[in-house]
Amino acid sequence: MSLSPWRIHGDNAKTGPRREPRSRDIEPAPDRARCRPALAGYREIVTFDLTPTVAQHDLVTRVHEFAQDRIRPVAAHYDRTQEFPWPVLEEAAERGFYSPLFYRDLIGDRTGLSLPMFMEELFWGCAGIGLAIVMPALALSAIGQAATPEQMLRWAPECFGTPGDLKLAALAISEPEGGSDVRNLRTRAVRDGGDWVIDGHKMWIGNGGIADVHVVNAVVDSRLGHRGQALFVIPGGTPGLELVRKLDKLGCRASHTAELKFDQVRVPNDHLLGGPEKLEHRLARAHASAQDGRGDSATMGTFAQTRPMVAAQALGIARAALEYMTDYANRREAFGAPIIDHQGIGFPIADLATRIDAARLLTWRASWMAANGVPFERGEGSMAKLAASEVAVQTTERAIQTMGGWGYITDHPVEKWYRDAKLYTIFEGTSEIQRIVISGALGAAGGKPPMHFGLEPSGGPLNKMFGRGTEIRTRAATAALKMKDHVPEPVRKAAMKVLRPPR
């Protein structure tokens, strides 16, 4: 069987109080209220369980089918032409994958698994088209972090539209002079009567300039750094909002990414997410705590929430490349055997499969923690993003190397996946930033033991007394061993059934 262009063999539908690092200059921690310690008894934690529910299994199956049958057949076309994939978005909307309620439903899953499962399958199809589909969800996440309930009801539907009348949304944070360095953002918002006037320059903005809703981060009090920033909604077509250019990217070329300028953009007071009273309260609190460097940031809360989501996207690319090169290595023969039987090919594939599974577990853990309000005290969100993005680049590079000259040309998708994967070590916080975040969190923890030491335990008092490994159970087992020669065989067998490990 020949490896025809873009044909994917071996379909696989399986899927696999301190806060997160506070750096005064780079990516401070998320809002304490959004990552409150579960051990404080705020709410019951849903147990971390890797077994998918029936609904999750159905979701994975439906998304995988959509990715395989609708996304992959057109991925090469949109990568080559850089056209926006409107027909694919339309079908995604018809299937229910392009809706604010759909994403809020996934985010609200307390198991934490629905959203990363969805993301991995979608991006297994194509990262560029996947970004086009989920980009409004990033804006929706920012709105959910900062908006009043009334603003949420007003703007969330405008981020997606409805089948037959689709809309787009953009989250505008990064700037030419400041991406990860949030204190260096220069877009300003100044109050003018009942309005806000916004001036600035944004770069690398997904859906920028073509979106119906732009959620824009701007400085309202320069003395407070990231704590002096606020989020504003700027509708598409607002006077002064300029699409400078669409960016010509290395990968993820089906998604629209742009440079924007804001020249005296005027929006009414109700476009300030959270409202003026909440902003005044937050600024006053930030001024009061300025000396110890504490404060809240809706923008950074958004980064913390989206990192597991972005990690899952990278995993989709990595898994696609792993499956493709494994199938190729199984069928390609050299020196009298399939090349996967040669250690030079098989061992790197084995290592990458291990790293992908490890990154998936980190991603699911981080998503579970976010869903249950468990704080990222050791940088767990950044660990997931770092591991997944790095292994995506490593796997796609190895896929090209495994296929040799065939991997280097566009007859096969691995070169595209390599170009797509590189984005993930850069956006939503570079790999270097993730390492700063993780090391900062570990330093702040000061040798504090891992998360499971502090979480509220499950099982109740009976489990504490008689659960596996408890002192009473161990003493009983020791006593039973001493008496085994004096106990009737039926009793011994019954006891061993209770004590034996699960099968």
Side-chain angles (χ1 to χ4, degrees):
M1 183 183 297
S2 65
L3 273 173
S4 58
W6 299 93
R7 178 174 174 81
I8 304 300
H9 304 278
D11 175 27
N12 180 3
K14 294 185 290 185
T15 60
R18 287 191 182 99
R19 296 172 287 178
E20 183 175 1
R22 186 163 56 229
S23 166
R24 298 200 172 191
D25 299 308
I26 300 177
E27 304 228 1
D31 187 340
R32 184 188 301 264
R34 285 185 285 271
C35 283
R36 54 196 182 189
L39 54 86
Y42 287 101
R43 61 180 182 180
E44 182 182 355
I45 291 180
V46 172
T47 302
F48 182 47
D49 187 352
L50 298 180
T51 306
T53 64
V54 174
Q56 289 167 345
H57 187 272
D58 178 68
L59 174 66
V60 168
T61 301
R62 289 187 295 117
V63 180
H64 186 83
E65 177 185 292
F66 176 57
Q68 179 176 257
D69 297 342
R70 301 302 181 191
I71 294 180
R72 282 198 167 181
V74 298
H77 166 77
Y78 287 108
D79 177 68
R80 183 175 60 255
T81 64
Q82 301 192 59
E83 297 172 3
F84 195 79
W86 284 109
V88 186
L89 261 69
E90 190 66 54
E91 182 153 357
E94 292 171 358
R95 293 177 181 235
F97 302 146
Y98 193 81
S99 161
L101 295 179
F102 173 74
Y103 288 101
R104 296 308 296 178
D105 194 31
L106 297 190
I107 291 172
D109 174 20
R110 295 281 301 283
T111 72
L113 299 186
S114 295
L115 189 59
M117 285 180 172
F118 168 76
M119 290 291 174
E120 181 174 334
E121 295 307 315
L122 190 67
F123 283 70
W124 175 90
C126 172
I129 294 175
L131 283 174
I133 293 173
V134 306
M135 194 63 70
L138 296 177
L140 180 68
S141 178
I143 293 173
Q145 291 281 334
T148 64
E150 294 77 16
Q151 289 174 325
M152 188 70 176
L153 286 173
R154 176 181 179 184
W155 294 113
E158 293 298 310
C159 291
F160 293 87
T162 56
D165 183 26
L166 298 183
K167 298 183 185 299
L168 302 175
L171 177 61
I173 304 295
S174 296
E175 299 183 3
E177 297 84 8
S180 299
D181 184 1
V182 294
R183 283 181 175 248
N184 199 32
L185 300 185
R186 300 179 182 180
T187 298
R188 297 287 187 266
V190 178
R191 188 175 301 184
D192 183 17
D195 296 335
W196 289 86
V197 179
I198 300 172
D199 290 278
H201 191 181
K202 296 291 184 180
M203 194 72 175
W204 308 294
I205 307 305
N207 287 344
I210 65 172
D212 299 272
V213 172
H214 296 78
V215 179
V216 180
N217 191 38
V219 175
V220 295
D221 189 332
S222 59
R223 297 169 296 175
L224 294 174
H226 73 277
R227 297 158 307 180
Q229 298 169 6
L231 294 171
F232 297 85
V233 172
I234 300 179
T238 300
L241 169 58
E242 178 190 357
L243 170 57
V244 178
R245 58 180 172 133
K246 177 185 176 181
L247 303 179
D248 188 10
K249 307 191 299 290
L250 173 70
C252 299
R253 290 157 68 88
S255 64
H256 173 96
T257 310
E259 177 182 0
L260 302 178
K261 284 190 177 180
F262 303 86
D263 183 12
Q264 293 287 293
V265 174
R266 183 176 292 270
V267 293
N269 212 19
D270 61 4
H271 285 46
L272 166 65
L273 291 181
E277 292 185 3
K278 182 178 179 180
L279 176 64
E280 292 297 333
H281 175 73
R282 184 162 58 84
L283 293 179
R285 186 172 58 184
H287 276 291
S289 60
Q291 291 184 349
D292 63 13
R294 302 188 179 207
D296 301 330
S297 168
T299 305
M300 302 325 302
T302 301
F303 280 143
Q305 186 181 81
T306 58
R307 276 182 184 141
M309 181 167 69
V310 171
Q313 296 172 10
L315 284 172
I317 304 172
R319 198 184 97 211
L322 178 70
E323 292 173 2
Y324 201 94
M325 81 167 137
T326 301
D327 182 72
Y328 178 90
N330 266 318
R331 292 181 298 102
R332 171 79 164 90
E333 291 192 3
F335 307 103
I339 62 175
I340 198 169
D341 292 344
H342 302 298
Q343 293 181 2
I345 300 296
F347 281 14
I349 292 177
D351 288 340
L352 290 168
T354 302
R355 292 172 195 161
I356 289 171
D357 276 11
R360 182 180 293 109
L361 288 172
L362 286 171
T363 299
W364 286 7
R365 181 187 69 169
S367 186
W368 169 81
M369 292 174 70
N372 285 275
V374 180
F376 292 157
E377 291 189 341
R378 301 169 69 87
E380 288 89 345
S382 291
M383 287 180 182
K385 202 270 184 181
L386 174 65
S389 60
E390 293 288 330
V391 79
V393 173
Q394 293 162 3
T395 306
T396 52
E397 191 276 336
R398 174 51 60 175
I400 294 175
Q401 193 69 21
T402 299
M403 297 180 67
W406 289 110
Y408 194 69
I409 60 178
T410 58
D411 286 17
H412 301 281
V414 292
E415 60 83 26
K416 173 193 178 297
W417 293 335
Y418 180 63
R419 291 186 283 109
D420 291 346
K422 187 56 193 169
L423 173 65
Y424 286 84
T425 63
I426 299 173
F427 91 138
E428 293 291 314
T430 65
S431 292
E432 290 75 18
I433 289 297
Q434 307 309 326
R435 291 183 174 97
I436 291 175
V437 169
I438 296 165
S439 61
L442 294 174
K448 184 178 179 180
M451 175 182 64
H452 59 272
F453 277 77
L455 287 179
E456 186 74 26
S458 63
L462 288 178
N463 183 266
K464 183 177 181 179
M465 293 178 64
F466 302 111
R468 295 183 185 276
T470 58
E471 187 176 2
I472 292 178
R473 192 181 179 104
T474 301
R475 287 179 177 177
T478 301
L481 285 174
K482 291 179 179 179
M483 298 174 58
K484 64 181 177 62
D485 293 334
H486 308 287
V487 176
E489 184 176 351
V491 177
R492 290 203 309 268
K493 288 183 176 180
M496 291 310 298
K497 286 182 179 180
V498 174
L499 295 172
R500 72 185 181 188
R503 294 179 179 176

